């Protein structure tokens, strides 16, 4: 379950970040709504990804 959550939140985070950067780089005006939507998605998925990251096992 932890790996599933990590994988899904990772995909959501990176796709949102890439789309946001593409919009930021190509459009002269970024509406506040884009930031209002992308910001919380990046924060929530990033924190979820960080908290559910696989633990490194010490051998």
């Amino acid at each position: 379950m932890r790996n599933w959550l990590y994988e899904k939140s990772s995909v959501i985070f990176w796709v949102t970040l890439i789309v946001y950067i593409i919009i930021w780089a190509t459009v002269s005006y970024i509406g506040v709504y884009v930031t209002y939507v992308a910001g919380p998605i990046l924060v929530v998925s990033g924190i979820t990804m960080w908290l559910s990251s696989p633990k490194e096992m010490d051998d």
Side-chain angles (χ1 to χ4, degrees):
M1 178 72 176
R2 184 180 195 115
N3 287 335
W4 180 85
L5 186 60
Y6 175 76
E7 291 171 3
K8 298 306 177 201
S9 61
S10 177
V11 168
I12 292 170
F13 177 83
W14 290 114
V15 168
T16 305
L17 184 63
I18 290 169
V19 168
Y20 187 67
I21 290 173
I22 290 171
I23 291 172
W24 183 77
T26 59
V27 178
S28 61
Y29 173 74
I30 299 176
V32 222
Y33 293 113
V34 173
T35 304
Y36 282 174
V37 171
I41 290 174
L42 288 171
V43 170
V44 170
S45 62
I47 290 173
T48 305
M49 186 173 65
W50 177 60
L51 290 175
S52 65
S53 65
K55 304 294 180 196
E56 294 183 21
M57 301 196 116
D58 295 328
D59 289 329

